[in-house]
Amino acid sequence: MTLPLAPEDIRAYLGQNTDTTARNYSASRREKGNGMMKRRFLLKGIGTLGLTSMLPASAFARSAWAASRDRGAPLREFAACWLTPASTEGPYYFDIGELRMDIRRDSKSDVLHDGIPLTLTMRIVNADCQPVAGVLVDIWHANREGLYSGYVQPHGDTVGEDFLRGTQVTDPQGECRFVTSYPGWYPGRATHIHFKVRLSSMSYVTSQFAFEDRVNTAVYDTALYSARGQNPTSNAADGVFRDATPEHLLLTVTEDAATGGYAGTFTIGIDTPTAVEDAPRPGQVWLGENYPNPFAANTMLPFSLPSSRHVELSVFDAAGREQVQLLDAEMSVGRHDVPFQVGDLPSGYYFYRLRAGEDVRMREMLLLR
C-alpha cells in the first residue's frame, strides 16, 4: 500500500492548519506555438526575476513587504541582496524522498534524536530581493552526538537511518520551516547545518551555515550536550568558514520561550542554476526528470534500476495526497519510461515518488493547462 507523501506538517505548510495563504500556481509565460512553457522559459532570467515570474509581480511585492512588516523586521531586508556563497556539499548528503517539517525522528524506527529545540526558517530570495516560491530546500546535519544519518562514520554506523534531514518547499513569501534539534559537533569542524536549494535536477546553491560561537558554548554547557564537552573548532579555525562571523553563512538565533530552545531565520540569495544532477549512476537507483516538464496533458517518468526490484511509482499533489499509483510491480534491471496521463487534474506542482526496494527517490513536476 502506498503511504501519503507528506504528514500533517505538509498540510500545515499549505495553510490548512495555519494562516498561510494557498499557493498560486498560475504561470505568466507560455511558449508560442504549442502553448506550453518549457523549462528554459521557466528558468529564464532567474538572476533578475527568479521563479517570481510565476506570480504577478504586485502580489509578490505585497507579500514580501507584508511578511517583513508582520515579523517586525526592518524593511531594509528587501533593499539589497547577495548571492549566498557556495560551499562543499559534504560527504553525507542524500535525498530521503520525503517532505517533512519536523526532521528529528528517524522515519523507520521512530527514534527521536532530541536536543535543544531549534526552529529554523529558510528564506529564499533572488538577486532583486524578491522571494522565490516553489523551490525545494534540503537541510541535513549531525545529531548531538556528532553523527549524521545514513552512513558509516569514524565514530558510528547509521546506515539505513534518515534522522535530521528533510525537504520543504518555499511558500509565496519564499519561506519554509523546519523543526529540528541544535546540531552537535564532530572533530575538525565548527558546528554547522548543510543546505541545498534546488528545482528538480537544477541546483541553485549548495552550502552550509555556522552558528555564533557564544551560542555554541552555551548549548554545549547544557546537560544534554555537556558529556562531549565544548567543540574545539571555532568558526575562525574552521576550514570552510575561516572567520568568527562568516559573511552570509552565519545563522543568528534568539531564545524561543515557547520551545525552550532557539529560533532563527537564514536568508539564501540565489541566482542561476549551478549544476544539473540528472544522470544515472552505476549501481544506484535513478529517478529522472519527467519529460516534457512543464507539461499540459501527459508526460513520461523515467527511472533506472541496478537490479530487479519491486517498484512503486506514485504521483502526489502539493498537499501530499496520492493522485494515482502508476506502478506496483516487480521490474527488471535497466531503464524504464512510464507514461502519466493527467486526466482532469488542475494546474500546479505535483510530486512523483519511486520506491524500489529500500531505495526512495522523489522529484517534482509542473502541470500547466
Side-chain angles (χ1 to χ4, degrees):
M1 181 179 68
T2 302
L3 297 176
L5 174 65
E8 47 274 4
D9 293 321
I10 301 306
R11 295 195 297 271
Y13 151 70
L14 290 170
Q16 296 179 21
N17 297 321
T18 68
D19 293 331
T20 305
T21 58
R23 293 168 67 182
N24 184 339
Y25 293 108
S26 63
S28 63
R29 296 181 181 175
R30 308 238 175 172
E31 184 182 9
K32 295 180 180 179
N34 63 10
M36 185 166 63
M37 184 173 67
K38 291 187 176 179
R39 173 173 289 277
R40 66 175 179 268
F41 288 96
L42 179 66
L43 299 177
K44 182 180 179 182
I46 187 69
T48 58
L49 289 179
L51 298 186
T52 58
S53 63
M54 296 182 62
L55 290 180
S58 59
F60 265 94
R62 287 194 301 270
S63 64
W65 290 99
S68 178
R69 182 192 64 240
D70 292 346
R71 286 190 301 268
L75 297 182
R76 62 181 172 81
E77 286 186 359
F78 293 92
C81 291
W82 61 87
L83 299 183
T84 296
S87 180
T88 176
E89 180 179 280
Y92 298 127
Y93 172 74
F94 68 92
D95 180 6
I96 66 172
E98 297 286 347
L99 296 173
R100 58 181 181 179
M101 182 185 298
D102 191 334
I103 64 173
R104 294 173 296 176
R105 291 186 182 274
D106 181 79
S107 65
K108 296 178 181 178
S109 67
D110 203 39
V111 171
L112 175 67
H113 287 260
D114 62 344
I116 291 179
L118 175 63
T119 303
L120 179 61
T121 299
M122 306 292 280
R123 179 190 301 156
I124 315 301
V125 298
N126 65 15
D128 282 348
C129 307
Q130 293 178 309
V132 182
V135 291
L136 301 170
V137 180
D138 303 320
I139 70 168
W140 66 101
H141 64 85
N143 65 7
R144 57 188 173 94
E145 285 80 32
L147 285 170
Y148 287 88
S149 61
Y151 291 88
V152 176
Q153 296 146 83
H155 52 299
D157 181 352
T158 60
V159 171
E161 301 179 65
D162 61 9
F163 58 84
L164 299 179
R165 58 179 75 235
T167 303
Q168 285 283 272
V169 185
T170 55
D171 64 16
Q173 284 73 48
E175 295 184 349
C176 62
R177 292 171 180 80
F178 293 91
V179 176
T180 187
S181 299
Y182 201 94
W185 58 271
Y186 54 94
R189 286 302 316 277
T191 304
H192 61 281
I193 288 180
H194 297 265
F195 64 88
K196 182 189 290 283
V197 179
R198 59 191 171 95
L199 176 69
S200 187
S201 60
M202 311 295 289
S203 290
Y204 290 95
V205 63
T206 300
S207 195
Q208 49 193 278
F209 59 77
F211 295 79
E212 294 176 282
D213 288 327
R214 64 174 184 82
V215 179
N216 291 333
T217 298
V219 167
Y220 299 147
D221 269 344
T222 64
L224 279 173
Y225 295 80
S226 60
R228 298 190 68 234
Q230 292 292 326
N231 187 352
T233 305
S234 66
N235 291 336
D238 184 77
V240 173
F241 302 123
R242 301 179 185 276
D243 194 287
T245 56
E247 189 174 19
H248 306 317
L249 292 178
L250 184 71
L251 175 70
T252 300
V253 298
T254 58
E255 293 184 5
D256 186 344
T259 66
Y262 295 92
T265 297
F266 187 74
T267 300
I268 302 170
I270 65 173
D271 193 11
T272 55
T274 59
V276 177
E277 304 163 335
D278 197 26
R281 296 181 182 180
Q284 295 186 13
V285 172
W286 170 76
L287 178 63
E289 180 183 3
N290 63 297
Y291 62 95
N293 187 33
F295 61 101
N298 55 76
T299 187
M300 299 292 288
L301 310 182
F303 66 93
S304 180
L305 302 175
S307 59
S308 297
R309 303 189 184 192
H310 185 86
V311 166
E312 295 179 12
L313 180 63
S314 299
V315 176
F316 302 82
D317 64 16
R321 297 181 292 255
E322 182 182 329
Q323 298 301 306
V324 61
Q325 185 175 61
L326 300 174
L327 283 176
D328 184 5
E330 293 293 325
M331 302 295 292
S332 60
V333 63
R335 174 166 173 147
H336 304 269
D337 293 79
V338 180
F340 172 45
Q341 302 285 338
V342 302
D344 58 358
L345 291 176
S347 295
Y349 277 101
Y350 291 85
F351 296 87
Y352 55 106
R353 183 181 68 188
L354 175 75
R355 288 188 182 274
E358 295 298 314
D359 290 290
V360 179
R361 301 289 186 271
M362 184 179 70
R363 285 181 178 271
E364 100 283 4
M365 55 187 173
L366 180 60
L367 169 60
L368 292 175
R369 293 290 192 181

